[in-house]
Amino acid sequence: MSKRFQNWAETWIEDNILHGGNPDIEDYNARARRLMDEMYAAAAVANFSDLETAEERKHLAPLVLAKVSDDTEFDYNTFTLKYLLAAEFEDGD
């Protein structure tokens, strides 16, 4: 297992894959496969060998699928309200 490639791939996933998506347009599995192909094309451009990338496919596929199918969104207003309340009551609740 190539730790160098694994670190690069995790960074690529975080930088290039948005959470969720519209499953009516493209289901999660199809989107994950398409993005995996894009990631491995980018890996070839970044000079990773086929040997380095081949064994990582089975380890990275679940990460990509999890990122694609996660539809939780960050609500900034709720975060701000909770932060202000925690600061006001000083107990973190």
Side-chain angles (χ1 to χ4, degrees):
M1 191 182 315
S2 171
K3 188 67 172 171
R4 183 176 76 97
F5 177 72
Q6 190 174 21
N7 290 337
W8 177 88
E10 288 173 359
T11 303
W12 191 93
I13 290 168
E14 286 298 318
D15 292 345
N16 295 294
I17 300 178
L18 299 175
H19 290 281
N22 188 347
D24 293 336
I25 296 172
E26 182 179 36
D27 72 338
Y28 295 133
N29 290 325
R31 183 169 180 231
R33 280 192 301 273
R34 179 177 56 79
L35 291 169
M36 287 284 292
D37 290 342
E38 287 180 22
M39 181 175 64
Y40 282 100
V45 171
N47 293 325
F48 285 100
S49 70
D50 290 340
L51 182 62
E52 280 181 298
T53 61
E55 63 186 40
E56 293 299 322
R57 266 194 193 269
K58 63 182 176 275
H59 299 292
L60 294 173
L63 292 175
V64 172
L65 184 58
K67 180 87 177 208
V68 170
S69 61
D70 181 17
D71 61 355
T72 49
E73 293 184 21
F74 181 75
D75 185 1
Y76 181 76
N77 293 330
T78 302
F79 172 78
T80 303
L81 178 62
K82 288 182 178 182
Y83 174 78
L84 292 173
L85 288 172
E88 182 177 334
F89 293 117
E90 295 183 13
D91 66 351
D93 292 336

